[in-house]
């Protein structure tokens, strides 16, 4: 008997999660559901995270969660309860299958879309680390770790193996963000060597978006960073019929939380007309995760029979006339358990082997600092600021190499005039400098300028660990 933490959630949550629970129970699979609260009700009780201690304890005990959508009511709590849960339990992988559903007509019907997006879930721009550098310029930090890249890459390959899939492609923007997106691409290529049974490759993410609309059936498993995965997986859900069909799993080393992509759709709450398929397919993923393969297959087949053979469809697919209510749709699926939808090819599902990646620090055998980028708040003319900085370097170990604005060189004089903002990045080069040299330079600067932040120009194992400036 497996115990699972069940969070019904807000809005349509109780209807769609309730339907899923009823269908899973109807297969006879032995599950005890531990009902817990999170979301709007909890925020309103004054719990600032939206997740009470009893729910956290239940999750730690059971390690598997089936969760409905959660709302953050206006005026309560700073952060979404969903994000809190994902981060609290370091659920680093978000798996979103995008699979053509029999009986659900879309412009792509008949093309056999059957792909999975594996999205990194805790790093990247979505860590939400942001600063106004000046009153006029904002910054968001895109932090990507080597260990995080290894974990998500291995998870993608392991997931492919668990479903007998043939290929894994890394979709990235390493052509522009060579250091951050490049870290995922390079790490992925290293990890791929451990999976010779699976074809691997990479694709630039904007081309991937284009290909997903043009020929989505060419893909099997795609792995990508957090924001790219967020955007492309929503695009993917539209290919197969919309949010009513988009399932998802959040995977961590110790805890897995299964939740559909959609939210609480408050305007449909309590109307008994919402589509529970996304949460049901999420429940199917959960059953496979806990190795209840027969129950998962039985539900999938019953769902397909209901949709494609019996043509029982909810309002989001057929509109108001002739639509089945949520409860009628649920009962029809339960009535079809045991039936098979013959033409649907079954995958050879196997237990997912979770990757165990060391959290040890990545060390460089050799390191040096080549210089420093200092960001200055300044609206002045680039040439006159540049000249002042050059004379300020006299008597120090630094020389001014370039000034740039939003990554583009503005000094020494670029070939074409570049629009400036109120933030210059000033690149000072030297060799073999130490922190004292940098502090000395900052002190000189601060007498005349308003510096905002600095970045060291590190060289790790002989490789420059910083980007070049456009026009440098
Ligand atoms: P939403 O996904 O709740 O709804 C958008 C629209 O999609 C709905 O109006 C409806 O037309 C359609 N839709 C969604 N689920 C459907 C289903 N099961 N069947 C049929 N149609 C469906 O997005 P939203 O309106 O932007 O968000 C509402 C609330 O949900 C917000 O408070 C948001 O923060 C929250 N939210 C939570 C999660 C989560 O818990 N993981 C995810 C997204 C949004």
């Amino acid at each position: 008997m497996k115990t699972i933490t069940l969070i019904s959630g807000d809005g349509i949550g109780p209807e769609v999660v309730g339907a899923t629970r009823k269908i899973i129970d109807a297969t006879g699979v032995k599950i005890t559901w531990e009902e817990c609260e999170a979301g709007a009700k909890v925020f309103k009780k004054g719990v600032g995270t939206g997740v009470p201690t009893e729910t956290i304890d239940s999750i730690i005990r059971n390690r598997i969660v089936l969760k409905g959508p959660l709302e953050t009511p206006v005026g309560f709590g700073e952060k979404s309860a969903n994000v809190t849960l994902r981060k609290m339990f370091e659920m680093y992988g978000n798996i979103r299958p995008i699979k053509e559903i029999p009986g659900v007509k879309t412009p792509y019907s008949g093309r056999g879309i059957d792909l999975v997006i594996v999205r990194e879930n805790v790093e990247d721009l979505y860590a939400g680390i942001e600063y106004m550098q000046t009153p006029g310029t904002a910054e968001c930090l895109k932090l990507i770790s080597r260990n995080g890249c290894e974990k998500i890459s291995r998870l993608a390959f392991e997931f492919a193996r668990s479903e007998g899939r043939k290929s894994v492609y890394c979709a990235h923007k390493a052509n522009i963000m060579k250091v951050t997106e490049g870290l995922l691409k390079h790490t992925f290529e290293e990890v791929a060597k451990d999976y010779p049974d699976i074809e691997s490759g990479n694709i630039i993410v904007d081309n991937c978006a284009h290909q997903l609309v043009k020929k989505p059936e060419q893909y099997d498993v795609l792995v990508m960073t957090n924001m790219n995965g967020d955007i492309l997986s929503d695009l993917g859900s539209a290919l197969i019929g919309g949010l009513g069909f988009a399932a998802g799993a959040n995977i961590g080393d110790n805890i897995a939380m299964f939740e559909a992509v959609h939210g609480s759709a408050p305007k449909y709450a309590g109307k008994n007309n919402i589509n529970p398929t996304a949460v049901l397919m999420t429940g199917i993923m959960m059953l496979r995760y806990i190795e209840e393969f027969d129950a998962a297959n039985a539900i999938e087949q019953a769902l397909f029979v209901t949709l494609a053979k019996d043509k029982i469809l909810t309002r989001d697919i057929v509109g108001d006339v002739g639509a089945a209510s949520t409860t009628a749709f649920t009962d029809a699926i339960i009535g079809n358990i045991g039936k098979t939808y013959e033409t649907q090819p079954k995958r050879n599902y196997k237990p997912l082997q979770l990757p165990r990646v060391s959290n040890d620090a990545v060390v460089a055998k050799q390191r040096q600092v080549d210089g420093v980028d200092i960001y200055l708040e300044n609206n002045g003319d680039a040439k006159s600021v540049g000249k002042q900085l050059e004379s300020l370097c006299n008597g120090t170990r630094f020389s001014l190499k370039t000034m740039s604005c939003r990554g583009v060189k503005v000094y020494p004089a670029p070939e074409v005039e570049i629009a400036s903002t109120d933030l210059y990045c000033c690149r000072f080069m030297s060799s073999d400098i130490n922190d004292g040299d940098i502090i000395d330079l900052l002190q000189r600067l601060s007498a005349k300028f308003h510096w905002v932040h600095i970045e060291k120009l590190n060289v790790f194992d002989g490789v420059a660990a910083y980007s070049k400036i456009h026009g440098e």
Side-chain angles (χ1 to χ4, degrees):
M1 180 71 79
K2 187 100 200 154
T3 306
I4 286 174
T5 300
L6 185 78
I7 302 172
S8 293
D10 301 316
I12 60 168
E15 290 166 80
V16 286
V17 172
T20 300
R21 173 185 181 165
K22 205 171 158 192
I23 295 167
I24 291 177
D25 285 344
T27 64
V29 70
K30 299 215 173 336
I31 287 177
T32 302
W33 304 98
E34 201 163 278
E35 287 186 60
C36 289
E37 286 190 328
K41 276 190 276 216
V42 180
F43 280 115
K44 285 177 183 166
K45 282 183 197 163
V47 180
T49 57
V51 187
T53 318
E54 306 83 73
T55 301
I56 294 168
D57 291 345
S58 169
I59 294 173
I60 292 170
R61 233 182 359 259
N62 301 326
R63 296 149 69 118
I64 311 282
V65 188
L66 180 64
K67 185 185 87 59
L70 305 180
E71 283 170 21
T72 311
V74 181
F76 292 86
E78 289 270 301
K79 298 257 179 206
S80 121
N82 295 307
V83 177
T84 299
L85 282 168
R86 284 174 215 152
K87 294 214 167 184
M88 183 181 282
F89 297 111
E90 185 72 18
M91 290 188 260
Y92 64 88
N94 183 219
I95 300 179
R96 292 184 171 181
I98 295 157
K99 182 176 173 182
E100 179 172 336
I101 304 187
V104 180
K105 287 228 164 13
T106 74
Y108 292 89
S109 290
R111 288 168 60 166
I113 297 174
D114 186 2
L115 65 103
V116 179
I117 290 185
V118 179
R119 163 190 173 193
E120 201 291 323
N121 217 17
V122 291
E123 300 193 336
D124 193 19
L125 295 165
Y126 282 21
I129 308 166
E130 297 193 297
Y131 306 91
M132 285 305 291
Q133 289 290 317
T134 69
T137 304
E139 176 193 51
C140 179
L141 289 187
K142 181 175 169 86
L143 296 180
I144 306 271
S145 72
R146 167 70 176 70
N147 289 344
C149 291
E150 181 173 347
K151 267 174 134 175
I152 199 67
S153 299
R154 289 195 182 280
L155 181 66
F157 281 104
E158 290 296 343
F159 190 79
R161 272 189 182 163
S162 78
E163 297 211 334
R165 291 179 178 269
K166 301 281 178 279
S167 78
V168 181
Y169 273 66
C170 172
H172 60 82
K173 195 68 188 168
N175 53 329
I176 303 291
M177 286 169 271
K178 293 186 170 61
V179 180
T180 50
E181 291 279 323
L183 187 60
L184 175 67
K185 178 177 179 282
H186 297 137
T187 309
F188 172 86
E189 285 165 350
E190 281 300 304
V191 166
K193 292 178 192 159
D194 291 341
Y195 297 87
D197 50 319
I198 295 174
E199 180 198 326
S200 65
N202 74 84
I203 179 164
I204 292 174
V205 69
D206 38 348
N207 182 24
C208 184
H210 168 241
Q211 295 292 329
L212 276 171
V213 175
K214 210 172 154 197
K215 205 175 167 211
E217 60 276 17
Q218 69 185 292
Y219 291 120
D220 206 347
V221 177
L222 288 166
V223 59
M224 57 197 84
T225 49
N226 202 340
M227 190 167 100
N228 291 336
D230 190 16
I231 297 167
L232 289 195
S233 59
D234 261 34
L235 183 156
S237 67
L239 304 176
I240 52 151
L243 286 172
F245 297 95
N250 296 291
I251 306 288
D253 285 339
N254 301 308
I255 309 255
M257 183 170 80
F258 295 82
E259 60 175 335
V261 173
H262 68 70
S264 60
K267 74 176 173 186
Y268 297 104
K271 295 201 172 137
N272 194 22
N273 65 2
I274 205 76
N275 186 356
T277 305
V279 176
L280 183 60
M281 291 175 58
T282 299
I284 293 172
M285 291 179 82
M286 183 192 76
L287 289 171
R288 290 194 172 121
Y289 187 85
I290 61 171
E291 300 180 26
E292 291 287 354
F293 296 109
D294 291 343
N297 288 344
I299 296 174
E300 192 171 60
Q301 292 301 303
L303 171 69
F304 294 161
V305 170
T306 307
L307 293 166
K309 283 194 179 160
D310 298 350
K311 303 201 186 326
I312 298 173
L313 299 156
T314 44
R315 194 203 51 86
D316 53 317
I317 306 303
V318 288
D320 286 324
V321 181
S325 66
T326 308
T327 44
F329 181 67
T330 304
D331 291 341
I333 295 170
I334 292 171
N336 282 329
I337 289 176
K339 296 185 189 163
T340 45
Y341 180 77
E342 281 97 14
T343 57
Q344 185 63 21
K346 280 189 196 150
R347 290 191 169 277
N348 182 16
Y349 291 99
K350 290 194 243 74
L352 172 65
Q353 300 298 321
L354 283 182
R356 296 285 167 198
V357 174
S358 149
N359 278 325
D360 293 352
V362 180
V363 283
K365 290 192 193 80
Q366 283 183 326
R367 53 198 298 160
Q368 68 192 59
V369 179
D370 265 1
V372 64
D373 277 350
I374 303 182
Y375 287 75
L376 300 183
E377 180 181 348
N378 197 295
N379 285 308
D381 162 63
K383 192 171 168 190
S384 106
V385 175
K387 295 281 175 215
Q388 291 177 67
L389 293 175
E390 276 166 352
S391 59
L392 210 135
C393 285
N394 291 336
T396 73
R397 303 179 67 184
F398 294 95
S399 62
L400 178 71
K401 185 175 187 198
T402 52
M403 283 168 53
S404 59
C405 201
R406 292 169 298 167
V408 182
K409 187 174 92 170
V410 292
Y411 182 82
E415 271 141 37
V416 283
E417 196 153 326
I418 308 289
S420 293
T421 65
D422 58 355
L423 185 68
Y424 286 126
C425 170
C426 308
R427 178 158 287 185
F428 297 93
M429 303 304 287
S430 185
S431 58
D432 199 20
I433 46 165
N434 58 38
D435 287 356
D437 299 317
I438 297 171
I439 291 164
D440 178 48
L441 179 65
L442 280 175
Q443 267 170 351
R444 284 171 176 247
L445 273 173
S446 54
K448 275 193 161 184
F449 295 96
H450 190 87
W451 65 270
V452 180
H453 86 262
I454 73 164
E455 294 283 351
K456 283 183 180 173
L457 304 180
N458 287 303
V459 179
F460 296 134
D461 292 329
V463 180
Y466 53 91
S467 56
K468 279 193 167 180
I469 287 161
H470 284 287
E472 187 175 327

